[in-house]
Every structure is written in structure tokens, then in C-alpha cells.
Amino acid sequence: MTLAELKQIFTSKLEQCYDKDEIEQLFLIYIEDKLNLTYNPSFIIENNDDIEKDISQLQENKPIQHITGKAFFYDNFFKVNEFTLIPRPETEELIELIRTNHLENDSLSIIDLGTGTGCIPITLKKLFHNADVSAIDISKEALIVAKTNAENIINNEISFYEKDLLKDINLNKKFDIIISNPPYIRELEKQEMHKNVLDFEPHLALFVDNNDPLIFYKRIIEFAKKHLKNQGFIYCEINQYLPYETKELFEEYYSNVKLIKDISGNYRMISAN
Ligand SMILES: C[S@@+](CC[C@H](N)C(=O)[O-])C[C@H]1O[C@@H](n2cnc3c(N)ncnc32)[C@H](O)[C@@H]1O
């Protein structure tokens, strides 16, 4: 079968579930990341069971990154699986914010709270070569993935801790930067979410109780009381529907709190110091 024929098959099998542009994108990611090919319509590939199985999983809304086993973030591929959030482009903007704000300082100590694939600490370590970088997550399984990514991408230079942010943590260490993309989606927001997120991504990574949607930000502030240096900064991704509530919370403890918009114009990040 040629790649042009495979594209035809993708289109006919997936047109019930995805629009034309999405199918084109899925197809390109599939041939590049799963088959390690670039698109040449006349290139001949073996038809194999994997392809059929993969297309039927796409029909069931399985994320393409779970089929290829990897996701591109900032400037690297990261291994992903059912225990880790697929890194999002919004989080790349959080990295960019730190990169531009701290350009002049290479020897920072940084900790990422709720690290998932480890995309944040690994990318920061690549940008700040001399930084001392740590990360925590409650999920053993996510930490296995994060450690594999650290080994593959930067030869394992991150200190990982299995910790519950909702409990008291004491690492006996202070940091220049605390960064987090914590769970922040309220259960009530589920109805506007795609099936491929709801059915396949870990709910532990995504959801918080409707009645206490800022719980993780409260715990990040508690963590910062013990672990942030006097001149240190906190950077978090936030729920775009709760920017002012989140800002008010941080303003109870910090004098310089800024909401920052993402590329789509939504308040998606906060910095505090
Ligand atoms: C929104 S995901 C972010 C993952 C990754 N940092 C990223 O940006 O792609 C939140 C992460 O927090 C972790 N998490 C959830 N509850 C936690 C808790 N109580 N303590 C520590 N980590 C937790 C999840 O396992 C998940 O990896």
C-alpha cells in the first residue's frame, strides 16, 4: 500500500469522528511519529495489523500521542502513557515566561510540583544548564515515565520525589523558582471537554472538586512558605475561568502578583513574588 492509499483509508475510516483538518493532522503525526516517515504519496509501506488496530483506536477517540507513545513539547519528544498528562502547548508558554524572566541567571534552583511526564523540569534544565532542578508527583507511574524522559533527554539530571502536595511536605531545601501546572479543572467543566481527554487522560492530573477549585494553589503557597527563597518566584498555570480568584489568593501572601495571558488571549498563567 502507498502512503497516499493509507491517507485515503485514514480519511474514510475517521471522517465520522474528526473533521478534515484533524484527520490530515492525525495522519501526518501518525506517519512521522509512529512509522518514522515523511509524507511521500508514492512511498510503499507494508500493511500491518498495527495500522488497522491504531486506526480503530483513533475511531474510539484514543489520543494520537497514546498511539505513538510520545508527544512533542517545546523542543523534544516526551514519552507519554495513560498515567501522564499529554503536555500541552499552553505549558510551553509557561516555560517561555520563565526563560525570558530569568535569562541572566543560569544557576537557579527550581522545583516543579505535579510533574507528569517531567516536561517542565527537563525543558528548564535544558534551558538553564547549571540549574539545580527537582520535581514531585504523587503518581508512582507518572514518575517512572518522567525518569525515563529525564534519562533519554538530559541524561537524568533531575531529583524526583514521590510526594502528595495535599499533605505537609518538607524537603529541607529552598528554591529560587517554584513552578506548577497543577490539576485545576472543576468537575462542572467536564461537559465541555472532548471524549479523548475524558476517556484517556488521567483524572488525577486534571480535576478538582467544584467546591474547592483552588486547593492546589493553596497547597503550593503552603509549600512555598517552607521552600521558596526570600527573593524567589512562583509561576503557575491557572484555570482561565478563575483568574481573579487565583490572583486574590496569591495576593494574600505576595505583594507582586501578575496574571499573564496565553497566545489565545486568556489569563492562563500567574507569577508571584
Ligand atoms: C495538570 S498535570 C501536569 C503535568 C505536567 N506538569 C504538565 O504540565 O504536562 C498535574 C500533575 O499533578 C499530579 N498530581 C495530582 N495530584 C497530586 C498531589 N496531590 N500531589 C502531587 N502531585 C499531584 C498529577 O499526577 C499530574 O502529573
PDB file of all heavy atoms in Angstrom, residues 27 55 59 64 110 112 116 138 144 175 196 198 200 215 222-224 226 255 258-259 270:
ATOM      1  N   PHE A  27      -3.022  12.049  10.571  1.00  0.00           N
ATOM      2  CA  PHE A  27      -2.297  11.223   9.600  1.00  0.00           C
ATOM      3  C   PHE A  27      -0.805  11.585   9.594  1.00  0.00           C
ATOM      4  O   PHE A  27       0.064  10.712   9.640  1.00  0.00           O
ATOM      5  CB  PHE A  27      -2.910  11.408   8.211  1.00  0.00           C
ATOM      6  CG  PHE A  27      -2.133  10.704   7.138  1.00  0.00           C
ATOM      7  CD1 PHE A  27      -2.159   9.319   7.046  1.00  0.00           C
ATOM      8  CD2 PHE A  27      -1.359  11.418   6.236  1.00  0.00           C
ATOM      9  CE1 PHE A  27      -1.419   8.660   6.071  1.00  0.00           C
ATOM     10  CE2 PHE A  27      -0.623  10.762   5.258  1.00  0.00           C
ATOM     11  CZ  PHE A  27      -0.654   9.384   5.177  1.00  0.00           C
ATOM     12  N   ILE A  55      -5.885   2.612  13.759  1.00  0.00           N
ATOM     13  CA  ILE A  55      -6.999   3.395  13.204  1.00  0.00           C
ATOM     14  C   ILE A  55      -8.271   3.134  14.012  1.00  0.00           C
ATOM     15  O   ILE A  55      -9.026   4.050  14.318  1.00  0.00           O
ATOM     16  CB  ILE A  55      -7.206   3.095  11.697  1.00  0.00           C
ATOM     17  CG1 ILE A  55      -5.988   3.597  10.909  1.00  0.00           C
ATOM     18  CG2 ILE A  55      -8.476   3.774  11.174  1.00  0.00           C
ATOM     19  CD1 ILE A  55      -6.015   3.293   9.429  1.00  0.00           C
ATOM     20  N   GLN A  59     -10.608   5.759  16.078  1.00  0.00           N
ATOM     21  CA  GLN A  59     -12.082   5.839  15.977  1.00  0.00           C
ATOM     22  C   GLN A  59     -12.720   5.875  17.364  1.00  0.00           C
ATOM     23  O   GLN A  59     -13.790   6.434  17.548  1.00  0.00           O
ATOM     24  CB  GLN A  59     -12.631   4.629  15.199  1.00  0.00           C
ATOM     25  CG  GLN A  59     -12.359   4.708  13.717  1.00  0.00           C
ATOM     26  CD  GLN A  59     -12.758   3.418  13.000  1.00  0.00           C
ATOM     27  OE1 GLN A  59     -12.533   2.318  13.503  1.00  0.00           O
ATOM     28  NE2 GLN A  59     -13.331   3.552  11.812  1.00  0.00           N
ATOM     29  N   ILE A  64      -3.821  10.460  19.729  1.00  0.00           N
ATOM     30  CA  ILE A  64      -2.756  10.001  18.828  1.00  0.00           C
ATOM     31  C   ILE A  64      -1.439   9.811  19.598  1.00  0.00           C
ATOM     32  O   ILE A  64      -0.662   8.904  19.331  1.00  0.00           O
ATOM     33  CB  ILE A  64      -2.586  10.983  17.623  1.00  0.00           C
ATOM     34  CG1 ILE A  64      -1.531  10.491  16.626  1.00  0.00           C
ATOM     35  CG2 ILE A  64      -2.214  12.389  18.057  1.00  0.00           C
ATOM     36  CD1 ILE A  64      -1.964   9.370  15.768  1.00  0.00           C
ATOM     37  N   ILE A 110      15.283  25.137  41.065  1.00  0.00           N
ATOM     38  CA  ILE A 110      13.907  25.127  40.539  1.00  0.00           C
ATOM     39  C   ILE A 110      13.219  23.842  40.983  1.00  0.00           C
ATOM     40  O   ILE A 110      13.833  22.766  40.955  1.00  0.00           O
ATOM     41  CB  ILE A 110      13.930  25.148  38.982  1.00  0.00           C
ATOM     42  CG1 ILE A 110      14.694  26.359  38.459  1.00  0.00           C
ATOM     43  CG2 ILE A 110      12.518  25.105  38.417  1.00  0.00           C
ATOM     44  CD1 ILE A 110      14.908  26.367  36.938  1.00  0.00           C
ATOM     45  N   ASP A 112       9.439  21.687  40.270  1.00  0.00           N
ATOM     46  CA  ASP A 112       8.149  21.584  39.572  1.00  0.00           C
ATOM     47  C   ASP A 112       7.226  20.709  40.415  1.00  0.00           C
ATOM     48  O   ASP A 112       7.575  19.572  40.757  1.00  0.00           O
ATOM     49  CB  ASP A 112       8.391  20.946  38.193  1.00  0.00           C
ATOM     50  CG  ASP A 112       7.085  20.695  37.452  1.00  0.00           C
ATOM     51  OD1 ASP A 112       6.152  21.510  37.607  1.00  0.00           O
ATOM     52  OD2 ASP A 112       7.018  19.689  36.713  1.00  0.00           O
ATOM     53  N   GLY A 116       4.157  15.075  36.109  1.00  0.00           N
ATOM     54  CA  GLY A 116       3.656  14.267  34.972  1.00  0.00           C
ATOM     55  C   GLY A 116       4.796  13.647  34.182  1.00  0.00           C
ATOM     56  O   GLY A 116       5.624  12.913  34.738  1.00  0.00           O
ATOM     57  N   ILE A 138       2.596  12.842  42.842  1.00  0.00           N
ATOM     58  CA  ILE A 138       2.027  11.819  43.726  1.00  0.00           C
ATOM     59  C   ILE A 138       2.005  10.456  43.041  1.00  0.00           C
ATOM     60  O   ILE A 138       1.948   9.424  43.704  1.00  0.00           O
ATOM     61  CB  ILE A 138       0.595  12.219  44.167  1.00  0.00           C
ATOM     62  CG1 ILE A 138       0.124  11.357  45.334  1.00  0.00           C
ATOM     63  CG2 ILE A 138      -0.381  12.154  43.008  1.00  0.00           C
ATOM     64  CD1 ILE A 138      -1.203  11.796  45.921  1.00  0.00           C
ATOM     65  N   ILE A 144       7.756   7.194  36.950  1.00  0.00           N
ATOM     66  CA  ILE A 144       8.550   6.253  36.140  1.00  0.00           C
ATOM     67  C   ILE A 144       8.736   6.831  34.735  1.00  0.00           C
ATOM     68  O   ILE A 144       9.831   6.830  34.171  1.00  0.00           O
ATOM     69  CB  ILE A 144       7.853   4.862  36.077  1.00  0.00           C
ATOM     70  CG1 ILE A 144       7.913   4.212  37.464  1.00  0.00           C
ATOM     71  CG2 ILE A 144       8.486   3.970  35.015  1.00  0.00           C
ATOM     72  CD1 ILE A 144       7.094   2.931  37.595  1.00  0.00           C
ATOM     73  N   PHE A 175      14.164  27.077  47.167  1.00  0.00           N
ATOM     74  CA  PHE A 175      14.257  27.201  45.706  1.00  0.00           C
ATOM     75  C   PHE A 175      14.094  28.656  45.261  1.00  0.00           C
ATOM     76  O   PHE A 175      13.392  29.440  45.900  1.00  0.00           O
ATOM     77  CB  PHE A 175      13.162  26.345  45.056  1.00  0.00           C
ATOM     78  CG  PHE A 175      13.300  24.889  45.367  1.00  0.00           C
ATOM     79  CD1 PHE A 175      12.676  24.335  46.491  1.00  0.00           C
ATOM     80  CD2 PHE A 175      14.087  24.059  44.573  1.00  0.00           C
ATOM     81  CE1 PHE A 175      12.816  22.990  46.796  1.00  0.00           C
ATOM     82  CE2 PHE A 175      14.231  22.715  44.874  1.00  0.00           C
ATOM     83  CZ  PHE A 175      13.599  22.173  45.988  1.00  0.00           C
ATOM     84  N   ASN A 196     -11.708  12.370  24.037  1.00  0.00           N
ATOM     85  CA  ASN A 196     -10.342  11.813  24.062  1.00  0.00           C
ATOM     86  C   ASN A 196      -9.571  12.219  25.319  1.00  0.00           C
ATOM     87  O   ASN A 196      -8.683  11.515  25.774  1.00  0.00           O
ATOM     88  CB  ASN A 196      -9.552  12.116  22.778  1.00  0.00           C
ATOM     89  CG  ASN A 196      -9.423  13.589  22.489  1.00  0.00           C
ATOM     90  OD1 ASN A 196      -9.923  14.419  23.247  1.00  0.00           O
ATOM     91  ND2 ASN A 196      -8.775  13.930  21.396  1.00  0.00           N
ATOM     92  N   LEU A 198     -11.371  13.036  28.347  1.00  0.00           N
ATOM     93  CA  LEU A 198     -12.129  12.431  29.458  1.00  0.00           C
ATOM     94  C   LEU A 198     -11.899  10.926  29.577  1.00  0.00           C
ATOM     95  O   LEU A 198     -11.774  10.398  30.676  1.00  0.00           O
ATOM     96  CB  LEU A 198     -13.623  12.686  29.260  1.00  0.00           C
ATOM     97  CG  LEU A 198     -14.105  14.083  29.622  1.00  0.00           C
ATOM     98  CD1 LEU A 198     -15.578  14.222  29.307  1.00  0.00           C
ATOM     99  CD2 LEU A 198     -13.839  14.386  31.092  1.00  0.00           C
ATOM    100  N   PHE A 200      -9.344   9.082  28.264  1.00  0.00           N
ATOM    101  CA  PHE A 200      -7.995   8.522  28.181  1.00  0.00           C
ATOM    102  C   PHE A 200      -6.946   9.214  29.041  1.00  0.00           C
ATOM    103  O   PHE A 200      -5.893   8.642  29.283  1.00  0.00           O
ATOM    104  CB  PHE A 200      -7.519   8.501  26.716  1.00  0.00           C
ATOM    105  CG  PHE A 200      -8.301   7.557  25.861  1.00  0.00           C
ATOM    106  CD1 PHE A 200      -9.375   7.997  25.097  1.00  0.00           C
ATOM    107  CD2 PHE A 200      -8.002   6.202  25.848  1.00  0.00           C
ATOM    108  CE1 PHE A 200     -10.118   7.117  24.324  1.00  0.00           C
ATOM    109  CE2 PHE A 200      -8.735   5.312  25.078  1.00  0.00           C
ATOM    110  CZ  PHE A 200      -9.797   5.770  24.312  1.00  0.00           C
ATOM    111  N   ILE A 215      -7.687  24.483  45.474  1.00  0.00           N
ATOM    112  CA  ILE A 215      -6.995  23.728  46.537  1.00  0.00           C
ATOM    113  C   ILE A 215      -5.502  23.563  46.263  1.00  0.00           C
ATOM    114  O   ILE A 215      -4.675  23.733  47.168  1.00  0.00           O
ATOM    115  CB  ILE A 215      -7.661  22.344  46.781  1.00  0.00           C
ATOM    116  CG1 ILE A 215      -6.953  21.655  47.945  1.00  0.00           C
ATOM    117  CG2 ILE A 215      -7.684  21.474  45.540  1.00  0.00           C
ATOM    118  CD1 ILE A 215      -7.742  20.522  48.543  1.00  0.00           C
ATOM    119  N   GLU A 222       1.398  26.973  50.605  1.00  0.00           N
ATOM    120  CA  GLU A 222       1.901  26.332  51.844  1.00  0.00           C
ATOM    121  C   GLU A 222       3.309  25.782  51.612  1.00  0.00           C
ATOM    122  O   GLU A 222       4.198  25.948  52.442  1.00  0.00           O
ATOM    123  CB  GLU A 222       0.977  25.181  52.283  1.00  0.00           C
ATOM    124  CG  GLU A 222      -0.279  25.617  52.974  1.00  0.00           C
ATOM    125  CD  GLU A 222      -0.025  26.585  54.126  1.00  0.00           C
ATOM    126  OE1 GLU A 222       0.763  26.247  55.035  1.00  0.00           O
ATOM    127  OE2 GLU A 222      -0.602  27.697  54.109  1.00  0.00           O
ATOM    128  N   PHE A 223       3.492  25.113  50.470  1.00  0.00           N
ATOM    129  CA  PHE A 223       4.804  24.550  50.128  1.00  0.00           C
ATOM    130  C   PHE A 223       5.833  25.681  50.041  1.00  0.00           C
ATOM    131  O   PHE A 223       6.953  25.565  50.540  1.00  0.00           O
ATOM    132  CB  PHE A 223       4.706  23.797  48.792  1.00  0.00           C
ATOM    133  CG  PHE A 223       5.993  23.175  48.335  1.00  0.00           C
ATOM    134  CD1 PHE A 223       6.325  21.873  48.700  1.00  0.00           C
ATOM    135  CD2 PHE A 223       6.887  23.882  47.531  1.00  0.00           C
ATOM    136  CE1 PHE A 223       7.529  21.298  48.283  1.00  0.00           C
ATOM    137  CE2 PHE A 223       8.085  23.319  47.113  1.00  0.00           C
ATOM    138  CZ  PHE A 223       8.407  22.021  47.489  1.00  0.00           C
ATOM    139  N   ALA A 224       5.411  26.799  49.423  1.00  0.00           N
ATOM    140  CA  ALA A 224       6.336  27.926  49.216  1.00  0.00           C
ATOM    141  C   ALA A 224       6.762  28.555  50.546  1.00  0.00           C
ATOM    142  O   ALA A 224       7.886  29.060  50.662  1.00  0.00           O
ATOM    143  CB  ALA A 224       5.685  28.970  48.314  1.00  0.00           C
ATOM    144  N   LYS A 226       7.691  27.196  53.138  1.00  0.00           N
ATOM    145  CA  LYS A 226       8.887  26.497  53.639  1.00  0.00           C
ATOM    146  C   LYS A 226      10.005  26.446  52.608  1.00  0.00           C
ATOM    147  O   LYS A 226      11.169  26.309  52.967  1.00  0.00           O
ATOM    148  CB  LYS A 226       8.530  25.039  53.967  1.00  0.00           C
ATOM    149  CG  LYS A 226       7.907  24.833  55.305  1.00  0.00           C
ATOM    150  CD  LYS A 226       7.922  23.346  55.623  1.00  0.00           C
ATOM    151  CE  LYS A 226       6.755  23.032  56.525  1.00  0.00           C
ATOM    152  NZ  LYS A 226       6.163  21.750  56.260  1.00  0.00           N
ATOM    153  N   SER A 255       3.305  40.347  47.362  1.00  0.00           N
ATOM    154  CA  SER A 255       2.973  41.729  47.008  1.00  0.00           C
ATOM    155  C   SER A 255       2.972  41.961  45.501  1.00  0.00           C
ATOM    156  O   SER A 255       2.349  42.876  44.996  1.00  0.00           O
ATOM    157  CB  SER A 255       3.955  42.682  47.684  1.00  0.00           C
ATOM    158  OG  SER A 255       5.259  42.287  47.343  1.00  0.00           O
ATOM    159  N   LYS A 258       1.100  38.762  39.236  1.00  0.00           N
ATOM    160  CA  LYS A 258       0.695  39.156  37.874  1.00  0.00           C
ATOM    161  C   LYS A 258      -0.045  38.014  37.187  1.00  0.00           C
ATOM    162  O   LYS A 258       0.394  36.867  37.239  1.00  0.00           O
ATOM    163  CB  LYS A 258       1.930  39.468  37.030  1.00  0.00           C
ATOM    164  CG  LYS A 258       2.626  40.746  37.393  1.00  0.00           C
ATOM    165  CD  LYS A 258       3.772  41.013  36.429  1.00  0.00           C
ATOM    166  CE  LYS A 258       4.679  42.078  37.010  1.00  0.00           C
ATOM    167  NZ  LYS A 258       6.083  41.887  36.701  1.00  0.00           N
ATOM    168  N   LEU A 259      -1.153  38.390  36.515  1.00  0.00           N
ATOM    169  CA  LEU A 259      -1.830  37.434  35.640  1.00  0.00           C
ATOM    170  C   LEU A 259      -1.250  37.627  34.240  1.00  0.00           C
ATOM    171  O   LEU A 259      -1.041  38.761  33.801  1.00  0.00           O
ATOM    172  CB  LEU A 259      -3.330  37.720  35.588  1.00  0.00           C
ATOM    173  CG  LEU A 259      -4.135  37.368  36.832  1.00  0.00           C
ATOM    174  CD1 LEU A 259      -5.562  37.894  36.698  1.00  0.00           C
ATOM    175  CD2 LEU A 259      -4.149  35.858  37.073  1.00  0.00           C
ATOM    176  N   ILE A 270       0.089  32.682  36.116  1.00  0.00           N
ATOM    177  CA  ILE A 270       0.228  33.666  37.186  1.00  0.00           C
ATOM    178  C   ILE A 270       1.679  33.628  37.659  1.00  0.00           C
ATOM    179  O   ILE A 270       2.318  32.560  37.654  1.00  0.00           O
ATOM    180  CB  ILE A 270      -0.760  33.341  38.343  1.00  0.00           C
ATOM    181  CG1 ILE A 270      -0.967  34.546  39.238  1.00  0.00           C
ATOM    182  CG2 ILE A 270      -0.317  32.137  39.169  1.00  0.00           C
ATOM    183  CD1 ILE A 270      -2.230  34.469  40.072  1.00  0.00           C
TER     184      ILE A 270
END
